[in-house]
Amino acid sequence: MREIKLTTKIAVYPIAECSEMEKKLIEAAKEATKKAYAPYSGFKVGAAVLLENGEIIAGNNQENAAYPSGLCAERVTIFFANATYPDQRIEAIAVAAYHNGGFTDDVITPCGGCRQVLLETENRFNRAIKILLYGNESVYKFESAKDLLPFSFGDKMLK
Ligand code: THU
């Protein structure tokens, strides 16, 4: 028997230590929570992506009475960005959540489906995407979707 141990790297720092661009992206994600459609969970998530041309695109979760038909903020935002600018690489994404009258103290962590879509987007554009997860207490930064989804399934397996 042999064991495989997977490790991942996350930079944790207060918002004050973010670069100006990181602050701007996080602010756009926070702002986007205000337009979320989350009547069932009351959990409003905002995401903002930075394109290589410098443009920021924001989106939020869209729920549905038939629950599985809704979609997370990350996927709404990434799909909209890719649908609008299919040739623009996504360089970074920020995610924030508003719940019970305030932004969450803990960082919001993307679900498995969104991690898979982040990974696909990285592979599609052959560029690692920086992932900034916001919480009132700190910001978590991942250098790549691979750090959020180790041991993942990807296009190479289909070849
Ligand atoms: N949600 C997101 O939009 N992103 C996440 O990273 C986690 C969860 C949404 C889905 C649903 O509308 C609500 O939050 C509660 O799960």
Side-chain angles (χ1 to χ4, degrees):
M1 196 271 267
R2 77 191 169 90
E3 221 172 27
I4 300 174
K5 281 200 177 126
L6 301 171
T7 55
T8 198
K9 203 176 78 180
I10 312 169
V12 181
Y13 46 96
I15 186 92
E17 286 176 26
C18 287
S19 70
E20 286 314 305
M21 182 43 90
E22 288 172 352
K23 281 184 191 158
K24 202 171 156 190
L25 202 59
I26 288 168
E27 214 31 64
K30 288 172 83 174
E31 189 62 27
T33 62
K34 293 182 186 162
K35 293 181 184 161
Y37 179 65
Y40 305 105
S41 71
F43 194 76
K44 297 184 167 192
V45 185
V49 297
L50 173 67
L51 304 179
E52 64 177 331
N53 67 4
E55 191 167 333
I56 288 176
I57 304 252
N60 39 45
N61 51 333
Q62 300 293 319
E63 296 188 345
N64 195 289
Y67 290 4
S69 300
L71 200 61
C72 294
E74 296 90 323
R75 270 179 283 175
V76 167
T77 310
I78 292 169
F79 289 158
F80 178 68
N82 287 340
T84 312
Y85 298 103
D87 301 323
Q88 282 289 319
R89 286 173 164 156
I90 290 179
E91 298 199 333
I93 182 168
V95 192
Y98 189 93
H99 188 49
N100 291 335
F103 288 100
T104 57
D105 287 335
D106 290 332
V107 295
I108 157 96
T109 51
C111 76
C114 288
R115 293 177 197 211
Q116 189 69 39
V117 168
L118 279 160
L119 189 80
E120 181 76 23
T121 311
E122 275 194 0
N123 291 341
R124 168 180 178 169
F125 293 115
N126 196 24
R127 163 89 55 107
I129 299 173
K130 283 196 177 59
I131 300 159
L132 296 159
L133 307 180
Y134 177 82
N136 286 328
E137 283 165 7
S138 49
V139 172
Y140 282 17
K141 180 159 96 174
F142 297 77
E143 289 299 325
S144 161
K146 292 188 180 70
D147 296 328
L148 254 184
L149 191 63
F151 212 60
S152 57
F153 179 79
D155 56 348
K156 284 191 187 73
M157 289 176 187
L158 297 173
K159 286 176 183 141

